[in-house]
Amino acid sequence: MSNRHVKIVEVGPRDGLQNEPTVIPSSVKTEFINRLSKTGLSHIEVSSFVNPKRVPQLADAVDVFAAIKRTPGVHYSALVPNEKGLMAALQSNVDSIAVFTAASNKFCEKNINCSIEESIERFKPIVEIAKQKNIAVRAYVSCVLGCPYEGYISPQKVSHVVKLLWDLGCSEISLGDTIGAGTPNQARKMIHACMDVVPVDSLAVHYHDTRGQALANIFASLELGISIIDSSVAGLGGCPYAEGATGNVATEDVVYLLQGLGYVTGIDLGKIISTGKFICKQISRTNNSKVSAAGLPMGYENYEKS
Ligand code: HMG
Ligand code: MG
């Protein structure tokens, strides 16, 4: 495993803050993103261009994009549900966009007000325009290991949607355990099914940590060759349309795991920990990172990381 590069996609400013009970001031979001930009992260999901009545927490996407200080080499992206969102995202000079659908029809309806099939149709012009503008399109598939409305989701249902998105021209597909229901064996089966239809290096994993399974699922995913992991500083996160779903796996904990396994991330763990503390203080929230809570062990810098 040593020396393999793993990309972390930091989703805290988007997935994290979309689920906060209050709207966080744009200035705090901007400072949060500016701090994240100095940690060595290469990819930050800044916000969403969605209906502001549905997600008021991110209604200031335009303002935040205009205010952040972009660090060269850092990629700033946003969620886009339709052409209207795409146009706003392009005006904000996003580096790339992400469309989002699900492996469960019921969740898809609740989240974006259309069926899976309709969502794919909706994405066609988005991908077309993005291609013309040379902007990469990531796609999310939610509920890959369980749905709050349909229950168990088979690996074949997931791989079917993954193939549709790949054929559409999405270059990276993030597999979302939206409600943190899965365990490693289930995650393995689901990823195997997806690897049968798309290259493994185009797949990302996006585990919410509702039941404490995220790091175990990440370990299982790494063993299968996954090299893109979504996470959120301080374990912020959740989906307003998946009741009971808690935060994403904490970036601090993922970086600690990856460093211990000898993977290359380019991320400064100390800076990630202090950024997590900063945002939790600003928004009066509990820090769900186990590493942040415990602190680094004495002499951590001398630990052998193989
Ligand atoms: P709709 O209701 O079907 O769309 O929404 P519509 O075209 O009928 O428009 C309704 C209203 O929304 C209109 O305004 C539009 O102008 C406005 P009104 O006439 O009522 O004043 N509108 C927009 N405004 C701004 N930007 C836009 C936009 N589009 C329409 N882009 C839509 C469809 C998808 C837009 C809506 O359902 C929506 O915004 N849903 C929010 C979904 C969301 O953000 N969910 C959370 C993110 S997904 C997630 O967290 C999962 C993930 O983390 C992975 C995982 O964990 O599994 C990614
Ligand atoms: Mg999510």
Side-chain angles (χ1 to χ4, degrees):
M1 285 188 201
S2 273
N3 293 328
R4 211 176 88 202
H5 185 264
V6 171
K7 176 172 99 176
I8 292 194
V9 176
E10 171 60 46
V11 297
R14 194 279 303 170
D15 203 334
L17 302 185
Q18 78 179 8
N19 207 41
E20 283 304 304
T22 54
V23 176
I24 312 302
S26 310
S27 57
V28 171
K29 293 176 181 171
T30 302
E31 177 64 19
F32 179 35
I33 294 160
N34 288 347
R35 286 180 186 232
L36 287 171
S37 299
K38 300 290 178 203
T39 60
L41 278 163
S42 62
H43 197 124
I44 302 173
E45 198 170 75
V46 171
S47 193
S48 296
F49 292 93
V50 297
N51 180 352
K53 287 184 194 141
R54 297 282 302 266
V55 186
Q57 292 92 334
L58 301 182
D60 60 352
V62 170
D63 301 335
V64 173
F65 265 101
I68 55 173
K69 193 166 180 290
R70 299 189 192 209
T71 297
V74 180
H75 194 96
Y76 299 90
S77 66
L79 291 199
V80 159
N82 53 19
E83 278 185 81
K84 184 173 174 135
L86 174 65
M87 292 311 152
L90 290 176
Q91 276 173 9
S92 286
N93 281 323
V94 297
D95 292 320
S96 66
I97 56 162
V99 294
F100 51 108
T101 183
S104 140
N105 251 320
K106 278 200 184 134
F107 179 83
C108 200
E109 293 278 0
K110 297 256 186 200
N111 196 36
I112 56 172
N113 209 15
C114 65
S115 67
I116 298 169
E117 234 173 86
E118 287 162 346
S119 74
I120 302 292
E121 286 305 311
R122 220 182 247 187
F123 299 157
K124 279 182 183 165
I126 299 180
V127 176
E128 200 51 49
I129 296 167
K131 259 192 191 160
Q132 286 163 15
K133 307 265 178 201
N134 251 331
I135 286 191
V137 184
R138 159 182 259 225
Y140 282 100
V141 183
S142 285
C143 300
V144 297
L145 297 175
C147 169
Y149 311 105
E150 290 185 15
Y152 174 74
I153 299 289
S154 72
Q156 288 66 38
K157 263 193 177 169
V158 180
S159 61
H160 173 70
V161 180
V162 164
K163 180 78 166 64
L164 292 175
L165 292 163
W166 180 254
D167 290 346
L168 207 59
C170 300
S171 53
E172 188 173 296
I173 300 171
S174 178
L175 303 163
D177 184 10
T178 319
I179 56 167
T183 50
N185 279 350
Q186 199 192 343
R188 271 192 207 101
K189 284 182 196 154
M190 182 274 296
I191 291 169
H192 269 302
C194 296
M195 286 166 62
D196 283 345
V197 293
V198 301
V200 67
D201 57 9
S202 64
L203 292 170
V205 289
H206 178 108
Y207 294 123
H208 284 261
D209 202 27
T210 317
R211 294 169 182 83
Q213 301 302 301
L215 283 182
N217 289 338
I218 286 173
F219 188 75
S221 308
L222 289 167
E223 285 188 319
L224 294 183
I226 294 285
S227 58
I228 310 169
I229 297 171
D230 298 357
S231 62
S232 174
V233 159
L236 306 175
C239 178
Y241 299 99
E243 207 185 321
T246 60
N248 292 88
V249 63
T251 307
E252 296 89 319
D253 301 351
V254 176
V255 173
Y256 189 83
L257 173 73
L258 292 172
Q259 288 188 349
L261 290 171
Y263 286 95
V264 176
T265 63
I267 295 170
D268 182 323
L269 181 54
K271 286 184 181 169
I272 284 284
I273 291 173
S274 61
T275 304
K277 287 183 178 157
F278 161 81
I279 191 64
C280 287
K281 195 168 167 212
Q282 292 295 317
I283 66 179
S284 308
R285 191 190 203 276
T286 311
N287 191 323
N288 289 325
S289 159
K290 303 288 186 292
V291 166
S292 276
L296 293 175
M298 194 168 71
Y300 176 69
E301 60 283 2
N302 300 321
Y303 271 40
E304 194 177 321
K305 296 164 193 138
S306 55

mmCIF file of all heavy atoms in Angstrom, residues 118-142:
data_model
loop_
_atom_site.group_PDB
_atom_site.id
_atom_site.type_symbol
_atom_site.label_atom_id
_atom_site.label_comp_id
_atom_site.label_asym_id
_atom_site.label_seq_id
_atom_site.Cartn_x
_atom_site.Cartn_y
_atom_site.Cartn_z
ATOM 1 N N GLU A 118 -35.078 10.406 -14.755
ATOM 2 C CA GLU A 118 -35.230 11.830 -15.094
ATOM 3 C C GLU A 118 -33.967 12.616 -14.739
ATOM 4 O O GLU A 118 -33.598 13.571 -15.436
ATOM 5 C CB GLU A 118 -36.440 12.423 -14.367
ATOM 6 C CG GLU A 118 -37.771 11.971 -14.942
ATOM 7 C CD GLU A 118 -38.950 12.192 -13.990
ATOM 8 O OE1 GLU A 118 -38.736 12.443 -12.775
ATOM 9 O OE2 GLU A 118 -40.088 12.082 -14.458
ATOM 10 N N SER A 119 -33.318 12.216 -13.651
ATOM 11 C CA SER A 119 -32.105 12.953 -13.250
ATOM 12 C C SER A 119 -31.023 12.802 -14.324
ATOM 13 O O SER A 119 -30.329 13.758 -14.662
ATOM 14 C CB SER A 119 -31.599 12.494 -11.879
ATOM 15 O OG SER A 119 -30.991 11.222 -11.942
ATOM 16 N N ILE A 120 -30.914 11.610 -14.887
ATOM 17 C CA ILE A 120 -29.902 11.375 -15.928
ATOM 18 C C ILE A 120 -30.206 12.273 -17.139
ATOM 19 O O ILE A 120 -29.303 12.898 -17.718
ATOM 20 C CB ILE A 120 -29.857 9.879 -16.343
ATOM 21 C CG1 ILE A 120 -29.553 8.986 -15.125
ATOM 22 C CG2 ILE A 120 -28.866 9.645 -17.486
ATOM 23 C CD1 ILE A 120 -28.171 9.101 -14.532
ATOM 24 N N GLU A 121 -31.484 12.371 -17.488
ATOM 25 C CA GLU A 121 -31.887 13.253 -18.604
ATOM 26 C C GLU A 121 -31.513 14.700 -18.293
ATOM 27 O O GLU A 121 -31.022 15.437 -19.127
ATOM 28 C CB GLU A 121 -33.394 13.147 -18.859
ATOM 29 C CG GLU A 121 -33.815 11.859 -19.543
ATOM 30 C CD GLU A 121 -33.072 11.605 -20.862
ATOM 31 O OE1 GLU A 121 -33.013 12.538 -21.682
ATOM 32 O OE2 GLU A 121 -32.517 10.498 -21.040
ATOM 33 N N ARG A 122 -31.780 15.094 -17.035
ATOM 34 C CA ARG A 122 -31.474 16.463 -16.595
ATOM 35 C C ARG A 122 -29.976 16.761 -16.708
ATOM 36 O O ARG A 122 -29.572 17.890 -16.949
ATOM 37 C CB ARG A 122 -31.890 16.560 -15.119
ATOM 38 C CG ARG A 122 -32.542 17.844 -14.730
ATOM 39 C CD ARG A 122 -32.845 17.815 -13.244
ATOM 40 N NE ARG A 122 -34.264 17.788 -12.953
ATOM 41 C CZ ARG A 122 -34.758 17.890 -11.717
ATOM 42 N NH1 ARG A 122 -33.954 18.016 -10.687
ATOM 43 N NH2 ARG A 122 -36.047 17.855 -11.518
ATOM 44 N N PHE A 123 -29.163 15.720 -16.457
ATOM 45 C CA PHE A 123 -27.713 15.943 -16.440
ATOM 46 C C PHE A 123 -27.119 16.052 -17.849
ATOM 47 O O PHE A 123 -26.027 16.583 -18.019
ATOM 48 C CB PHE A 123 -26.982 14.819 -15.695
ATOM 49 C CG PHE A 123 -27.376 14.669 -14.240
ATOM 50 C CD1 PHE A 123 -27.196 13.456 -13.570
ATOM 51 C CD2 PHE A 123 -27.931 15.732 -13.537
ATOM 52 C CE1 PHE A 123 -27.557 13.316 -12.229
ATOM 53 C CE2 PHE A 123 -28.302 15.589 -12.194
ATOM 54 C CZ PHE A 123 -28.111 14.382 -11.550
ATOM 55 N N LYS A 124 -27.838 15.503 -18.862
ATOM 56 C CA LYS A 124 -27.249 15.465 -20.223
ATOM 57 C C LYS A 124 -26.782 16.836 -20.695
ATOM 58 O O LYS A 124 -25.613 16.990 -21.066
ATOM 59 C CB LYS A 124 -28.240 14.845 -21.218
ATOM 60 C CG LYS A 124 -28.219 13.333 -21.167
ATOM 61 C CD LYS A 124 -29.155 12.709 -22.192
ATOM 62 C CE LYS A 124 -29.137 11.196 -22.018
ATOM 63 N NZ LYS A 124 -30.252 10.529 -22.695
ATOM 64 N N PRO A 125 -27.652 17.854 -20.695
ATOM 65 C CA PRO A 125 -27.158 19.164 -21.162
ATOM 66 C C PRO A 125 -26.085 19.751 -20.257
ATOM 67 O O PRO A 125 -25.189 20.466 -20.720
ATOM 68 C CB PRO A 125 -28.424 20.041 -21.162
ATOM 69 C CG PRO A 125 -29.416 19.336 -20.294
ATOM 70 C CD PRO A 125 -29.081 17.883 -20.353
ATOM 71 N N ILE A 126 -26.146 19.431 -18.975
ATOM 72 C CA ILE A 126 -25.135 19.956 -18.037
ATOM 73 C C ILE A 126 -23.754 19.432 -18.417
ATOM 74 O O ILE A 126 -22.779 20.185 -18.538
ATOM 75 C CB ILE A 126 -25.469 19.537 -16.571
ATOM 76 C CG1 ILE A 126 -26.827 20.094 -16.148
ATOM 77 C CG2 ILE A 126 -24.370 19.974 -15.619
ATOM 78 C CD1 ILE A 126 -27.241 19.731 -14.738
ATOM 79 N N VAL A 127 -23.678 18.118 -18.638
ATOM 80 C CA VAL A 127 -22.384 17.506 -18.977
ATOM 81 C C VAL A 127 -21.896 18.046 -20.322
ATOM 82 O O VAL A 127 -20.706 18.345 -20.495
ATOM 83 C CB VAL A 127 -22.499 15.960 -18.998
ATOM 84 C CG1 VAL A 127 -21.187 15.324 -19.436
ATOM 85 C CG2 VAL A 127 -22.907 15.433 -17.623
ATOM 86 N N GLU A 128 -22.840 18.198 -21.262
ATOM 87 C CA GLU A 128 -22.502 18.707 -22.591
ATOM 88 C C GLU A 128 -21.861 20.102 -22.488
ATOM 89 O O GLU A 128 -20.792 20.363 -23.035
ATOM 90 C CB GLU A 128 -23.803 18.760 -23.421
ATOM 91 C CG GLU A 128 -23.605 18.798 -24.911
ATOM 92 C CD GLU A 128 -22.664 17.694 -25.415
ATOM 93 O OE1 GLU A 128 -22.844 16.506 -25.054
ATOM 94 O OE2 GLU A 128 -21.736 18.072 -26.133
ATOM 95 N N ILE A 129 -22.531 20.989 -21.767
ATOM 96 C CA ILE A 129 -22.025 22.376 -21.642
ATOM 97 C C ILE A 129 -20.692 22.385 -20.881
ATOM 98 O O ILE A 129 -19.743 23.067 -21.258
ATOM 99 C CB ILE A 129 -23.067 23.278 -20.933
ATOM 100 C CG1 ILE A 129 -24.334 23.385 -21.792
ATOM 101 C CG2 ILE A 129 -22.495 24.675 -20.660
ATOM 102 C CD1 ILE A 129 -25.539 23.977 -21.084
ATOM 103 N N ALA A 130 -20.632 21.595 -19.813
ATOM 104 C CA ALA A 130 -19.394 21.545 -19.009
ATOM 105 C C ALA A 130 -18.215 21.090 -19.879
ATOM 106 O O ALA A 130 -17.117 21.634 -19.787
ATOM 107 C CB ALA A 130 -19.577 20.621 -17.816
ATOM 108 N N LYS A 131 -18.478 20.098 -20.733
ATOM 109 C CA LYS A 131 -17.423 19.596 -21.635
ATOM 110 C C LYS A 131 -16.927 20.714 -22.541
ATOM 111 O O LYS A 131 -15.718 20.896 -22.720
ATOM 112 C CB LYS A 131 -17.987 18.461 -22.492
ATOM 113 C CG LYS A 131 -17.603 17.092 -21.996
ATOM 114 C CD LYS A 131 -17.944 16.061 -23.039
ATOM 115 C CE LYS A 131 -17.831 14.664 -22.455
ATOM 116 N NZ LYS A 131 -18.591 13.689 -23.255
ATOM 117 N N GLN A 132 -17.902 21.454 -23.120
ATOM 118 C CA GLN A 132 -17.518 22.564 -24.004
ATOM 119 C C GLN A 132 -16.641 23.576 -23.268
ATOM 120 O O GLN A 132 -15.774 24.216 -23.837
ATOM 121 C CB GLN A 132 -18.762 23.279 -24.531
ATOM 122 C CG GLN A 132 -19.519 22.500 -25.592
ATOM 123 C CD GLN A 132 -20.943 23.033 -25.771
ATOM 124 O OE1 GLN A 132 -21.275 24.125 -25.314
ATOM 125 N NE2 GLN A 132 -21.778 22.244 -26.414
ATOM 126 N N LYS A 133 -16.899 23.737 -21.977
ATOM 127 C CA LYS A 133 -16.140 24.727 -21.177
ATOM 128 C C LYS A 133 -14.902 24.105 -20.545
ATOM 129 O O LYS A 133 -14.245 24.741 -19.712
ATOM 130 C CB LYS A 133 -17.030 25.289 -20.049
ATOM 131 C CG LYS A 133 -18.354 25.846 -20.514
ATOM 132 C CD LYS A 133 -18.262 27.337 -20.716
ATOM 133 C CE LYS A 133 -19.576 27.896 -21.227
ATOM 134 N NZ LYS A 133 -19.434 29.171 -21.895
ATOM 135 N N ASN A 134 -14.651 22.832 -20.848
ATOM 136 C CA ASN A 134 -13.497 22.137 -20.277
ATOM 137 C C ASN A 134 -13.561 21.996 -18.765
ATOM 138 O O ASN A 134 -12.545 22.135 -18.075
ATOM 139 C CB ASN A 134 -12.213 22.879 -20.642
ATOM 140 C CG ASN A 134 -11.435 22.083 -21.647
ATOM 141 O OD1 ASN A 134 -11.530 20.848 -21.658
ATOM 142 N ND2 ASN A 134 -10.697 22.772 -22.499
ATOM 143 N N ILE A 135 -14.748 21.783 -18.273
ATOM 144 C CA ILE A 135 -14.923 21.657 -16.822
ATOM 145 C C ILE A 135 -15.304 20.211 -16.511
ATOM 146 O O ILE A 135 -16.238 19.666 -17.103
ATOM 147 C CB ILE A 135 -16.017 22.637 -16.355
ATOM 148 C CG1 ILE A 135 -15.422 24.032 -16.381
ATOM 149 C CG2 ILE A 135 -16.561 22.296 -14.996
ATOM 150 C CD1 ILE A 135 -16.239 25.058 -15.716
ATOM 151 N N ALA A 136 -14.573 19.612 -15.605
ATOM 152 C CA ALA A 136 -14.851 18.209 -15.272
ATOM 153 C C ALA A 136 -16.143 18.086 -14.476
ATOM 154 O O ALA A 136 -16.508 18.984 -13.711
ATOM 155 C CB ALA A 136 -13.690 17.646 -14.465
ATOM 156 N N VAL A 137 -16.821 16.973 -14.685
ATOM 157 C CA VAL A 137 -18.071 16.714 -13.960
ATOM 158 C C VAL A 137 -17.897 15.477 -13.082
ATOM 159 O O VAL A 137 -17.650 14.383 -13.573
ATOM 160 C CB VAL A 137 -19.262 16.490 -14.920
ATOM 161 C CG1 VAL A 137 -20.563 16.325 -14.126
ATOM 162 C CG2 VAL A 137 -19.381 17.629 -15.923
ATOM 163 N N ARG A 138 -18.044 15.692 -11.778
ATOM 164 C CA ARG A 138 -18.130 14.576 -10.835
ATOM 165 C C ARG A 138 -19.606 14.247 -10.692
ATOM 166 O O ARG A 138 -20.466 15.119 -10.872
ATOM 167 C CB ARG A 138 -17.532 15.029 -9.504
ATOM 168 C CG ARG A 138 -17.968 14.237 -8.304
ATOM 169 C CD ARG A 138 -17.369 14.771 -7.014
ATOM 170 N NE ARG A 138 -16.249 13.934 -6.622
ATOM 171 C CZ ARG A 138 -16.050 13.494 -5.374
ATOM 172 N NH1 ARG A 138 -16.850 13.830 -4.394
ATOM 173 N NH2 ARG A 138 -15.016 12.738 -5.082
ATOM 174 N N ALA A 139 -19.918 13.004 -10.367
ATOM 175 C CA ALA A 139 -21.323 12.660 -10.092
ATOM 176 C C ALA A 139 -21.394 11.925 -8.763
ATOM 177 O O ALA A 139 -20.519 11.107 -8.448
ATOM 178 C CB ALA A 139 -21.866 11.765 -11.191
ATOM 179 N N TYR A 140 -22.410 12.255 -7.989
ATOM 180 C CA TYR A 140 -22.661 11.529 -6.745
ATOM 181 C C TYR A 140 -23.799 10.541 -6.952
ATOM 182 O O TYR A 140 -24.805 10.868 -7.592
ATOM 183 C CB TYR A 140 -23.117 12.493 -5.651
ATOM 184 C CG TYR A 140 -22.019 13.298 -5.004
ATOM 185 C CD1 TYR A 140 -21.779 14.608 -5.381
ATOM 186 C CD2 TYR A 140 -21.238 12.747 -3.989
ATOM 187 C CE1 TYR A 140 -20.783 15.361 -4.767
ATOM 188 C CE2 TYR A 140 -20.241 13.494 -3.369
ATOM 189 C CZ TYR A 140 -20.024 14.788 -3.763
ATOM 190 O OH TYR A 140 -19.037 15.524 -3.149
ATOM 191 N N VAL A 141 -23.635 9.359 -6.357
ATOM 192 C CA VAL A 141 -24.752 8.422 -6.252
ATOM 193 C C VAL A 141 -25.010 8.251 -4.759
ATOM 194 O O VAL A 141 -24.145 7.774 -4.023
ATOM 195 C CB VAL A 141 -24.423 7.052 -6.887
ATOM 196 C CG1 VAL A 141 -25.647 6.142 -6.823
ATOM 197 C CG2 VAL A 141 -23.942 7.215 -8.321
ATOM 198 N N SER A 142 -26.183 8.677 -4.311
ATOM 199 C CA SER A 142 -26.509 8.555 -2.885
ATOM 200 C C SER A 142 -27.141 7.194 -2.596
ATOM 201 O O SER A 142 -27.601 6.504 -3.501
ATOM 202 C CB SER A 142 -27.504 9.653 -2.479
ATOM 203 O OG SER A 142 -26.836 10.891 -2.382
#
